[in-house]
């Protein structure tokens, strides 16, 4: 699979009503550089366009051991301790383009789409090969600018103080679109594509245990992915 980091976390936070902008301002202003100084890569922060109280972020690590060390250092360190009450009040509790500088407020115009396929068993190499060899070219030729794709890391959570959804098996891929109209055109083109119908849908039908979720994400002012 194409990856930007060996280990990437997709974190989705459902916040207290009306508090998302408070968290975004805090995260973009105070939390990016301190986390990256500890070895994390803060890949992207987003508003969920279909849920006004959901904040989504992606952060990358070199491996599970460095993830544990970095998270322990951050959540046990001075930056989190100084701002955790504000973050927790918003609901943020412990449970690639260039980034804009601190203080930036201009929201990028594009949207990022995350498509998640859920399986009831670990994702096998045959599906990964199918995605890379057949599915990804069809997605690209119908208008999806694919950013990255990932498969579940089934290792034990190395930082239990920050829970993750364990026991789930997914493939997720991200794509960039210039705006909602561009995304709508892509969906229409994909639906009408003979290659999608004949080469991809038939194969997906074989995997009858697949469920799909689509995240429509609007990058924050300082998101690397935009």
């Amino acid at each position: 699979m194409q990856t930007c980091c060996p280990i990437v976390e997709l974190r989705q936070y459902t916040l207290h009503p009306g508090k998302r902008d408070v968290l975004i301002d805090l995260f973009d202003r105070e939390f990016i550089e301190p986390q990256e100084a500890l070895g994390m890569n803060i890949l992207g922060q987003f508003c969920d366009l279909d849920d006004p109280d959901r904040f989504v972020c992606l952060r990358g690590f070199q491996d599970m051991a460095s993830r544990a060390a970095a998270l322990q250092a951050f959540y046990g360190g001075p930056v989190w301790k100084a701002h955790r009450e504000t973050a927790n009040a918003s609901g943020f509790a412990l449970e690639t383009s260039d980034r804009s500088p601190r203080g930036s407020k201009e929201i990028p115009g594009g949207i990022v789409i995350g498509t998640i396929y859920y399986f009831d068993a670990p994702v096998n190499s045959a599906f990964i090969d199918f995605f890379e060899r057949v599915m990804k070219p069809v997605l690209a030729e119908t208008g999806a600018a694919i950013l990255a794709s990932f498969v579940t890391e089934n290792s034990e959570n190395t930082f239990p103080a920050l829970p993750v959804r364990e026991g789930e098996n997914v493939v997720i891929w991200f794509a960039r679109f210039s705006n909602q109209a561009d995304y709508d055109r892509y969906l229409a083109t994909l639906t009408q594509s003979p290659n999608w119908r004949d080469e991809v849908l038939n194969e997906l039908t074989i995997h009858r245990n697949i469920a799909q979720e689509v995240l429509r994400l609007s990058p924050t002012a300082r998101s690397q992915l935009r």
Side-chain angles (χ1 to χ4, degrees):
M1 303 293 286
Q2 178 186 358
T3 62
C4 63
C5 305
I7 302 293
V8 172
E9 277 189 344
L10 166 65
R11 302 206 64 84
Q12 302 183 67
Y13 298 96
T14 298
L15 309 174
H16 299 311
K19 295 294 186 179
R20 184 167 68 182
D21 287 347
V22 174
L23 176 60
I24 288 171
D25 180 68
L26 177 64
F27 194 104
D28 279 4
R29 187 183 70 247
E30 302 290 351
F31 289 166
I32 294 175
E33 283 78 9
Q35 290 186 85
E36 293 195 329
L38 296 170
M40 303 182 230
N41 189 337
I42 308 305
L43 301 167
Q45 311 89 255
F46 308 94
C47 298
D48 188 325
L49 292 172
D50 297 307
D51 185 340
D53 297 317
R54 178 174 290 182
F55 172 72
V56 177
C57 67
L58 294 167
R59 59 185 172 190
F61 306 87
Q62 287 303 305
D63 51 44
M64 294 298 286
S66 63
R67 172 183 177 271
L71 293 178
Q72 180 62 56
F74 178 71
Y75 289 109
V79 173
W80 176 254
K81 290 178 180 178
H83 298 287
R84 63 185 175 188
E85 290 187 8
T86 301
N88 287 340
S90 69
F92 185 70
L94 279 178
E95 311 210 278
T96 220
S97 58
D98 292 338
R99 177 182 292 122
S100 299
R102 277 181 169 170
S104 299
K105 298 296 183 182
E106 184 176 354
I107 304 300
I111 62 173
V112 172
I113 301 296
T115 302
I116 309 173
Y117 295 116
Y118 292 89
F119 296 77
D120 61 7
V123 182
N124 60 43
S125 59
F127 185 85
I128 295 173
D129 177 71
F130 163 73
F131 180 86
E132 292 288 343
R133 181 176 48 83
V134 178
M135 191 170 173
K136 187 182 288 187
V138 175
L139 296 171
E141 73 185 18
T142 53
I146 298 176
L147 299 169
S149 53
F150 305 93
V151 66
T152 296
E153 167 59 61
N154 288 311
S155 300
E156 181 180 356
N157 182 7
T158 54
F159 188 66
L162 191 66
V164 297
R165 290 160 63 175
E166 298 182 276
E168 295 193 355
N169 303 286
V170 308
V171 168
I172 180 170
W173 58 275
F174 294 93
R176 178 193 294 119
F177 297 89
S178 58
N179 49 44
Q180 181 64 44
D182 187 29
Y183 177 53
D184 290 340
R185 283 191 294 271
Y186 152 76
L187 290 177
T189 303
L190 184 69
T191 301
Q192 297 170 10
S193 166
N195 289 336
W196 176 258
R197 182 183 62 247
D198 299 337
E199 299 182 29
V200 177
L201 285 184
N202 286 341
E203 181 69 20
L204 291 178
T205 301
I206 295 173
H207 299 272
R208 297 181 185 276
N209 54 340
I210 293 179
Q212 177 178 307
E213 179 182 5
V214 176
L215 305 175
R216 294 191 313 126
L217 306 173
S218 174
T220 71
R222 300 198 64 214
S223 176
Q224 286 194 78
L225 296 180
R226 55 180 61 203

